[in-house]
């Protein structure tokens, strides 16, 4: 019997791109003779006609299934729902906007079929067509993450990856509420092959990520997969103590030798401001972790389904 390949597609307001995506998959199908296909779309609370397009598609093609969320839960929730509900022996996550070239599918499948790898990831080698400032921040973020996180996070890695059932089960078993896929996939391990490709621009529609949204996502990633900020805060605090101690001794000695002329108020104000600033930001860092803990302990569902066809 042929194995089943599930294609998981998170989609938020993708009415323009889904038909194009569906067509692109049909075009590549003949190059994947060794597997049956299943398409699982996750409508992430779209406000346009995404859902009705999905209904039509699944009516006409029994291999097309969909889940529809009760509101926008974010791409991470979409990926999780997709992995949880995909039936395939192999599962691949793809964006609806064709920025993840379907032409790579046969090669990816080949690596998994060979039995040597459990997961095939893709990474962009460039960021052509992206605002330069955004690219710069993205690169800094990956550079920082690779240093401080306890998962293996690769620059330019996309969510576009194909994996075996083992990896799917491992990822689904990580039921954390604050999901950061790039970290989760790095954390679960397994032997992984990287395929590189050049950036492709969206076929239609617009990106759902504003700079601000990306920035917050980056912060989430750091908090979810690194405790380095906490360590840095502690070390900084200790260093400040040492510095203060040295200053105290200097001042005592100076007072004994030269007396105590009243001076140095402006510098005192600066020091108070500096120290209280550092304290506040360290409390802020602590707060970030507490906030995540708070949300995590509520054990809320990662997504809520309002309609499904599986
Ligand atoms: N997406 C989603 N929920 C969201 C935002 C995005 O499911 O809240 C989907 C979107 O429909 C697309 C994929 O995630 O299939 C990638 O989004 P986008 O192309 O906007 O991001 P970019 O490629 O610009 O990083
Ligand atoms: Mg995109």
């Amino acid at each position: 019997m042929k194995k089943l390949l599930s294609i998981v597609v998170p989609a938020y307001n993708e009415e323009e791109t889904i038909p194009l995506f569906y067509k692109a998959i049909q075009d590549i199908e003949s190059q994947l003779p060794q597997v049956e296909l299943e398409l699982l779309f996750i409508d992430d609370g779209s406000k346009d006609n995404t859902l009705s397009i999905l209904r039509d598609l699944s009516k006409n093609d029994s291999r097309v299934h969909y889940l529809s969320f009760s509101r926008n839960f974010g791409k991470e929730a979409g990926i999780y729902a997709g992995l949880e509900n995909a039936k395939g022996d192999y599962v691949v996550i793809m964006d609806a906007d064709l920025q993840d070239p379907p032409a790579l599918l046969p090669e990816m499948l080949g690596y998994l079929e060979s039995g040597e790898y459990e997961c095939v990831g893709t990474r962009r080698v460039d960021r052509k067509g992206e605002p330069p400032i955004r690219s710069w921040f993205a690169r800094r973020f990956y550079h920082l993450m690779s240093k401080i996180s306890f998962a293996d996070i690769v620059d330019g890695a996309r969510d576009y990856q194909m994996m075996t059932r083992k990896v799917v089960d491992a990822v689904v078993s990580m039921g954390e509420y604050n999901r950061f896929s790039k970290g989760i996939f790095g954390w679960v391990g397994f032997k992984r092959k990287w395929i590189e490709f050049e950036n492709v621009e969206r076929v239609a529609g617009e990106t759902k990520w504003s700079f601000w949204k990306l920035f917050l996502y980056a912060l989430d990633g750091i908090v979810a997969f690194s405790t380095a900020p906490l360590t840095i805060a502690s070390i900084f605090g200790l260093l400040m103590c040492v510095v203060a101690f040295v200053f105290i001794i200097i001042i005592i000695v100076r007072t004994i030798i030269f007396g105590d002329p009243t001076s140095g108020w402006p510098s005192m104000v600066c020091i108070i401001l500096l120290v209280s600033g550092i304290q506040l930001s360290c409390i802020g860092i602590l707060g970030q972790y507490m906030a995540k803990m708070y949300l995590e302990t509520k054990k809320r569902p990662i997504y809520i389904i309002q309609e499904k066809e599986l």
Side-chain angles (χ1 to χ4, degrees):
M1 211 181 80
K2 278 189 185 178
K3 291 203 167 163
L4 181 67
L5 170 65
S6 302
I7 302 178
V8 166
V9 191
Y12 176 52
N13 295 346
E14 299 283 8
E15 58 179 4
E16 291 172 65
T17 59
I18 285 177
L20 300 171
F21 178 83
Y22 181 64
K23 174 136 194 319
I25 293 298
Q26 281 180 319
D27 291 344
I28 196 86
E29 228 188 313
S30 58
Q31 293 177 44
L32 299 163
Q34 61 284 50
V35 287
E36 299 275 358
L37 285 187
E38 169 195 57
L39 277 152
L40 175 55
F41 289 93
I42 293 91
D43 164 37
D44 187 9
S46 300
K47 293 178 186 69
D48 62 0
N49 286 320
T50 301
L51 182 56
S52 55
I53 290 173
L54 292 180
R55 282 194 197 113
D56 287 346
L57 274 184
S58 78
K59 224 174 274 163
N60 297 325
D61 184 343
S62 63
R63 302 170 308 170
V64 177
H65 308 288
Y66 64 84
L67 298 169
S68 178
F69 289 172
S70 58
R71 64 168 171 83
N72 182 246
F73 278 86
K75 185 183 180 187
E76 292 291 345
I79 292 176
Y80 185 73
L83 293 181
E84 219 179 6
N85 291 285
K87 300 184 208 67
D89 304 290
Y90 301 123
V91 179
V92 59
I93 303 167
M94 291 178 88
D95 284 3
D97 60 4
L98 290 177
Q99 277 191 300
D100 298 332
L104 297 179
L105 288 173
E107 188 187 349
M108 294 167 92
L109 187 63
Y111 283 116
L112 293 187
E113 290 261 86
S114 76
E116 208 181 317
Y117 298 99
E118 298 291 339
C119 189
V120 184
T122 57
R123 56 183 287 262
R124 297 190 281 191
V125 283
D126 64 344
R127 291 175 171 271
K128 193 174 59 180
E130 217 184 46
I133 181 113
R134 189 164 147 173
S135 302
W136 188 83
F137 272 102
R139 268 200 291 272
R140 298 267 49 85
F141 169 71
Y142 283 111
H143 186 74
L144 181 73
M145 270 311 254
S146 66
K147 290 237 155 67
I148 64 172
S149 91
F150 32 74
D152 181 22
I153 292 170
V154 179
D155 183 12
R158 308 250 333 151
D159 290 324
Y160 182 26
Q161 45 194 330
M162 194 187 286
M163 63 210 99
T164 60
R165 180 66 14 212
K166 277 187 231 170
V167 182
V168 176
D169 291 343
V171 171
V172 169
S173 75
M174 291 177 74
E176 59 209 72
Y177 183 75
N178 293 286
R179 301 193 73 76
F180 184 68
S181 277
K182 291 182 171 70
I184 290 175
F185 279 99
W187 192 89
V188 296
F190 291 106
K191 200 152 187 312
R192 169 185 290 255
K193 172 79 190 167
W194 286 102
I195 296 182
E196 296 183 345
F197 69 100
E198 271 172 31
N199 194 24
V200 186
E201 289 186 43
R202 227 174 205 284
V203 276
E206 275 172 12
T207 174
K208 312 295 177 299
W209 294 88
S210 62
F211 186 80
W212 180 240
K213 240 175 135 181
L214 272 177
F215 180 72
L216 292 179
Y217 182 61
L219 283 189
D220 273 355
I222 293 175
V223 174
F225 277 92
S226 168
T227 46
L230 292 173
T231 316
I232 292 169
S234 321
I235 292 174
F236 218 79
L238 277 175
L239 274 180
M240 292 293 285
C241 287
V242 172
V243 171
F245 195 70
V246 171
F247 276 171
I248 287 170
I249 296 194
I250 291 174
I251 286 171
I252 290 176
V253 171
R254 202 185 58 180
T255 312
I256 291 170
I257 299 174
F258 301 107
D260 183 20
T262 315
S263 67
W265 284 109
S267 56
M268 185 67 107
V269 172
C270 292
I271 290 167
I272 291 175
L273 276 180
L274 175 73
V275 173
S276 52
I278 290 170
Q279 276 179 347
L280 266 183
S281 63
C282 289
I283 294 174
I285 292 174
L286 214 76
Q288 290 292 323
Y289 285 86
M290 286 248 317
K292 295 293 174 211
M293 265 165 62
Y294 170 64
L295 288 174
E296 211 63 68
T297 50
K298 286 184 183 222
K299 293 245 175 302
R300 283 186 180 161
I302 294 168
Y303 59 88
I304 294 170
I305 291 177
Q306 62 161 3
E307 185 181 323
K308 64 177 169 182
E309 200 287 302
L310 285 175

